[in-house]
Amino acid sequence: MTALDLSSPVAVVGTGTMGQGIAQVALVAGHPVRLYDAVDGRAREAADAIGARLDRLVEKDRLTGAERDAARARLTSAESLDALADCVLVVEAVVERLDVKQELFRALEDVVGDDCLLATNTSSLSVTAVGGALRVPGRFVGLHFFNPAPLLPLVEVVSGFATDPASATRAYETARAWGKTPVTCADTPGFVVNRVARPFYAEALAVHELRAADPATIDAVLRESGGFRMGAFELTDLIGQDVNESVTQSVWQAFFQDVRFTPSLAQRRLVESGRLGRKSGQGWYDYRDGAERPGPHTAPPAEAPAYVVVEGDLGPAAELVGLIREAGVEVRAGDGYGAGRIVLPDGGRLCLTDGELPGSEDLVHFDLALDYRAATRIALSASEGVRPGLLSGATGLFQALGKEVSVVGDVPGMIVARTVARIIDLAFDAVARGVATPEDVDTAMRLGVNYPLGPFEWSRRLGGTWARDLLSHVHEWEPSGRCAPSLALRRHAAADAREGTPS
């Protein structure tokens, strides 16, 4: 099954930001495009707005003047649905209400041919439910673009329960012909991205609600240690707190209030107060004129130890050994067995967080980093009864490596580690339930939300048992079930452990 012929007309119904973006993508790819909106005059306004964006593409040398003129000639506004009768694809981008979408598609079926592909851009509703009332539900598919559609490459091609495989394939090939990177997925709440991404927000909010760190510090650790492009609080301020919470609520309800997707009370209160983020002037941060952005908690300078003893296997943090040597701190070899630890001259131990609480006056945990060499900040955590001087020595060691240090509260799994582990877990669970392939999940999370690695790439880097072990420990301390490792992750870890066992 091939992509739709570029000479065939495509329609977009709903001319808001997303509808205009999808129309622009199809138009630049070469299709004749027809815009329709139920509100009188909006389709014409949208055509003018798209024309203005084409002008800007010419100014940026992304289109030639001739290409722009040809594209403008292919773009028309429709006064009624009847004008879409000969279209081979109609993409809907109207309000996220099931009844509105169903009514629209029933009306479209009376206009277009039975071979016309019908698609919804819904991000939160069931594709199966939207298409359930159709006379020919097999030609109905989800085409979930990401905003802004002309810039972001990912498109989730969602098959509803009644979608014909040929329709999904045609939609996939068409999205690819439009220059996008499509991934296929089943019709489950949140599809791939909005399902697997929930822990990125949820764990940051959980750490904040446990009063272990403030938003600015959590964001800085996620960016500067975890390698994420934005922290969870600044990203939700950009998205809109109401929008982000609505998606979380939708996924939670659609999964019959599965505890793994439980919304945050702190975010609910923020929405109730009208602090919706950048668009309202206040969210987690204050964006009003003259407001000062709070900085992360950063520890004051401390003295580095003269030497350290490295014992056991540091696992994902093994790169620290070379960095410590490069910083001029002597590294002595200790016991080579057991869990890895860095021992300071006074006997205090530094360990990569494993999901346990430090719980000892002689132990300081440090957080996971995407790349310990490139990381510019490291988070440390210790119990309230930590021995005086130990936290200072740990701080001085990481500062000697050129890192800023943020000391956060005693929370299982800290910030980056628990976030990454839960993302990995939901990814394994999604694949086990047939939502998408591991390759498509990784592609979706890199391109849809700009993660530095896909969940399966992370799992391979960290080891097959790492996420299960960390989440098992977090679950022991927080036994709500929210962080309990899924059956799919447990099976993967058990298989990985068997493969690694000497025969």
Side-chain angles (χ1 to χ4, degrees):
M1 184 65 68
T2 58
L4 297 173
D5 191 284
L6 290 179
S7 65
S8 303
V10 167
V12 177
V13 178
T15 58
T17 301
M18 184 58 77
Q20 290 182 33
I22 296 170
Q24 181 179 326
V25 171
L27 189 66
V28 171
H31 284 278
V33 174
R34 294 176 193 159
L35 295 172
Y36 174 77
D37 198 291
V39 178
D40 223 22
R42 281 196 180 167
R44 292 188 298 275
E45 292 172 2
D48 291 340
I50 293 171
R53 283 198 289 274
L54 295 178
D55 289 340
R56 289 195 290 274
L57 291 178
V58 172
E59 292 170 3
K60 296 177 180 179
D61 293 327
R62 295 178 183 173
L63 279 182
T64 66
E67 288 170 334
R68 173 200 57 198
D69 294 342
R72 276 182 166 171
R74 294 193 302 271
L75 179 63
T76 57
S77 58
E79 299 300 323
S80 69
L81 288 180
D82 290 340
L84 313 183
D86 62 338
C87 288
V88 295
L89 167 65
V90 181
V91 183
E92 163 272 316
V94 303
V95 64
E96 287 285 87
R97 279 181 46 187
L98 180 60
D99 59 335
V100 173
K101 292 179 188 290
Q102 287 179 327
E103 183 180 353
L104 168 64
F105 282 111
R106 279 195 292 263
L108 281 168
E109 268 202 317
D110 292 336
V111 172
V112 300
D114 286 353
D115 59 346
C116 175
L117 194 63
L118 298 178
T120 175
N121 184 58
T122 185
S123 61
S124 61
L125 298 176
S126 162
V127 170
T128 301
V130 176
L134 294 181
R135 177 171 46 81
V136 188
R139 43 89 170 268
F140 188 75
V141 67
L143 275 179
H144 181 215
F145 288 77
F146 289 74
N147 194 26
L151 296 180
L152 293 185
L154 184 69
V155 176
E156 291 177 318
V157 180
V158 187
S159 290
F161 186 78
T163 302
D164 288 337
S167 297
T169 300
R170 173 154 284 184
Y172 179 96
E173 293 299 336
T174 297
R176 189 162 65 172
W178 290 0
K180 296 301 180 182
T181 303
V183 297
T184 58
C185 60
D187 181 25
T188 59
F191 309 142
V192 175
V193 172
N194 279 330
R195 175 181 180 144
V196 178
R198 295 345 291 164
F200 179 71
Y201 314 109
E203 297 314 308
L205 286 160
V207 171
H208 173 60
E209 289 176 333
L210 289 169
R211 304 182 68 82
D214 60 277
T217 299
I218 296 169
D219 278 353
V221 172
L222 286 169
R223 286 193 316 269
E224 299 172 38
S225 184
F228 292 95
R229 187 166 296 185
M230 297 181 74
F233 294 96
E234 57 189 343
L235 181 54
T236 53
D237 268 358
L238 178 64
I239 294 169
Q241 297 300 331
D242 53 338
V243 174
N244 183 259
E245 196 219 15
S246 176
V247 173
T248 300
Q249 288 277 358
S250 175
V251 172
W252 179 57
Q253 294 289 356
F255 275 115
F256 306 104
Q257 300 185 357
D258 186 329
V259 68
R260 294 175 301 167
F261 302 99
T262 302
S264 160
L265 181 59
Q267 188 175 41
R268 175 91 290 262
R269 292 291 179 259
L270 202 68
V271 173
E272 289 174 338
S273 71
R275 297 188 176 192
L276 307 182
R278 289 179 179 270
K279 63 185 177 183
S280 70
Q282 284 181 285
W284 293 110
Y285 301 104
D286 192 338
Y287 301 94
R288 294 172 297 180
D289 290 343
E292 185 175 343
R293 176 76 173 261
H297 169 77
T298 301
E303 186 176 350
Y307 69 90
V308 298
V309 178
V310 176
E311 299 180 343
D313 181 7
L314 294 181
E319 188 177 21
L320 286 173
V321 177
L323 297 179
I324 293 171
R325 286 197 178 100
E326 291 171 20
V329 177
E330 181 186 354
V331 177
R332 300 176 182 176
D335 186 347
Y337 300 98
R341 54 205 169 272
I342 300 170
V343 184
L344 300 181
D346 64 359
R349 293 167 293 139
L350 306 182
C351 296
L352 174 63
T353 180
D354 59 358
E356 296 273 15
L357 291 179
S360 166
E361 65 175 13
D362 294 322
L363 177 62
V364 171
H365 277 158
F366 58 90
D367 207 351
L368 180 70
L370 172 70
D371 180 338
Y372 281 99
R373 180 175 294 277
T376 56
R377 183 175 299 272
I378 294 294
L380 302 180
S381 176
S383 66
E384 290 184 2
V386 67
R387 179 158 42 83
L390 175 54
L391 201 52
S392 176
T395 298
L397 175 63
F398 280 102
Q399 287 173 340
L401 307 186
K403 318 298 183 187
E404 299 278 12
V405 174
S406 290
V407 178
V408 303
D410 191 6
V411 60
M414 299 187 68
I415 298 171
V416 178
R418 67 187 284 154
T419 298
V420 170
R422 285 213 61 220
I423 290 170
I424 290 171
D425 182 56
L426 288 192
F428 271 96
D429 183 63
V431 168
R433 295 177 186 274
V435 176
T437 66
E439 295 76 19
D440 275 357
V441 171
D442 277 355
T443 297
M445 301 315 291
R446 286 196 315 270
L447 299 184
V449 277
N450 290 312
Y451 284 2
L453 293 175
F456 292 93
E457 292 174 307
W458 249 317
S459 181
R460 288 190 292 271
R461 176 183 288 197
L462 295 169
T465 62
W466 178 85
R468 179 205 61 184
D469 293 346
L470 186 135
L471 290 177
S472 295
H473 292 149
V474 173
H475 175 61
E476 290 173 6
W477 290 99
E478 301 178 23
S480 67
R482 191 173 64 84
C483 292
S486 66
L487 176 61
L489 184 64
R490 290 178 182 275
R491 283 174 169 164
H492 170 75
D496 186 85
R498 285 195 300 271
E499 290 174 4
T501 302
S503 58

